[in-house]
Amino acid sequence: MKMKLLAFIGLSVILIGTSLFFEGNSKELKENEVQNIKELVQDYSVGNIKNQSASITSHQLIVTESDDNEITYALPDDEFFVSIAPYINETHPCAIHSLTGCTGELTDEEFSVYIEDKEGNEILNQTLKSHANGFIDIWLPRDKTYHVTIEHDGKIAESEISTFEQDNTCIATMQLKETKNS
């Protein structure tokens, strides 16, 4: 009986130790998976991957291969992807961003992008360059509402966006207009 009890305790210690080892590594694996998904999204967005189409919803990256095989990838639980195409004259209606199909008017241009949350906390204040597709890709914390200000060449666009489930990942409604001071 003692031998069975000792064997049971020994096996329990091994199993607990193994699960702690994998649990400790699971955070690292999750961080690597998030980075890999972000890199994959970036590669589609900038056109590094050909012969496939990709779109991105509030929770999934959906890739359609040339043989119509569809693969879905879960997005990070705490981050929301949004792609913004500031424009002056031309835009298109859009809700779910096609990383490989949507095009904006202002390609390879620099924009001053300022984003704050509803409490007035600065989330982003950077000069960002639109991709060859005319979009600026941004990852924001989920389940919040933001005020976005984009400036370019003496023009400004402002909008409120949110990052809740089922919110748009494609923002093609921010028209740059002359500032009142111009």
Side-chain angles (χ1 to χ4, degrees), residues 119-149:
E119 292 76 37
N121 299 310
E122 181 179 294
I123 304 300
L124 180 74
N125 187 5
Q126 290 182 6
T127 298
L128 299 175
K129 187 174 182 180
S130 62
H131 300 300
N133 66 2
F135 279 84
I136 303 166
D137 295 343
I138 302 170
W139 291 89
L140 293 169
R142 286 188 179 275
D143 301 327
K144 293 191 176 239
T145 300
Y146 300 97
H147 183 81
V148 179
T149 304

Side-chain angles (χ1 to χ4, degrees), residues 56-74:
I56 191 163
T57 69
S58 61
H59 282 83
Q60 291 182 324
L61 168 64
I62 303 164
V63 175
T64 305
E65 297 176 327
S66 55
D67 62 358
D68 288 334
N69 185 32
E70 191 173 275
I71 303 167
T72 59
Y73 301 89

Side-chain angles (χ1 to χ4, degrees), residues 41-93:
V41 168
Q42 174 74 8
D43 284 342
Y44 281 111
S45 199
V46 299
N48 289 343
I49 300 175
K50 307 287 183 201
N51 300 325
Q52 296 177 341
S53 65
S55 60
I56 191 163
T57 69
S58 61
H59 282 83
Q60 291 182 324
L61 168 64
I62 303 164
V63 175
T64 305
E65 297 176 327
S66 55
D67 62 358
D68 288 334
N69 185 32
E70 191 173 275
I71 303 167
T72 59
Y73 301 89
L75 297 181
D77 291 335
D78 58 345
E79 292 181 277
F80 187 98
F81 175 86
V82 64
S83 198
I84 302 172
Y87 75 98
I88 297 170
N89 298 311
E90 297 177 24
T91 190
H92 65 281

